[in-house]
Amino acid sequence: MSKWSVQEQENSVKAAAFSSAFISWISILWFLDEITLLWFKSETANDLLLLGYLPCLYYIFRQMKNHPTVLNHGWRLAEWYGNYLDEYLRSRFQRATTMAFHMMLTVALLGVVLPDLLLKFGLDHFLSFKLFSIVTLFVGSLSFYLNIRTVFNEQDDTEQDAN
């Protein structure tokens, strides 16, 4: 871990923001895809939502072209555990993962309670356990992305204040 430079740590956080944005985008499209088939039975809307995956793929390939080393990050145990040497990156990463965990836990608990309420009132055609897992994934990855995205903005702000 002593060979892990500050630049590599920042690139790791950038890669985390990129991957969480991608997962958020894919999961919300998947959620909307499932809703259009389950609730509205609309094949046309479903086909149109499939076109939404194209900008997502463009985003991936553009990021990989602009940052060719983006796929090298996220494989170290130190990154998984958030053991960054830089105190600012470590605190922000831990705050982002804590927020993502709490949001996912809240949605997962609602995913247990809400189906029981729907079944109690006889609205079983609105019920799909897949929807709750997709929403859990979306909420967690989006909250992680929004928290981690501010790392470099706040870091730039503190550098400007210091000058």
Side-chain angles (χ1 to χ4, degrees), residues 26-98:
I26 288 288
S27 59
I28 195 62
L29 285 172
W30 189 17
F31 179 73
L32 293 174
D33 190 25
E34 290 291 322
I35 284 179
T36 56
L37 282 178
L38 181 69
W39 292 356
F40 305 116
K41 310 276 192 266
S42 175
E43 292 290 332
T44 308
N46 189 327
D47 293 339
L48 288 175
L49 281 171
L50 289 178
L51 295 175
Y53 290 104
L54 293 177
C56 189
L57 291 174
Y58 172 75
Y59 175 73
I60 294 168
F61 292 130
R62 190 186 68 161
Q63 288 294 331
M64 288 171 40
K65 180 182 174 254
N66 293 342
H67 308 287
T69 61
V70 77
L71 295 178
N72 294 340
H73 299 289
W75 298 102
R76 299 179 187 188
L77 286 177
E79 291 173 274
W80 291 357
Y81 297 134
N83 294 332
Y84 294 99
L85 299 174
D86 183 57
E87 181 62 33
Y88 176 75
L89 290 178
R90 180 173 53 220
S91 67
R92 290 302 300 190
F93 185 83
Q94 289 173 348
R95 186 180 305 160
T97 52
T98 302

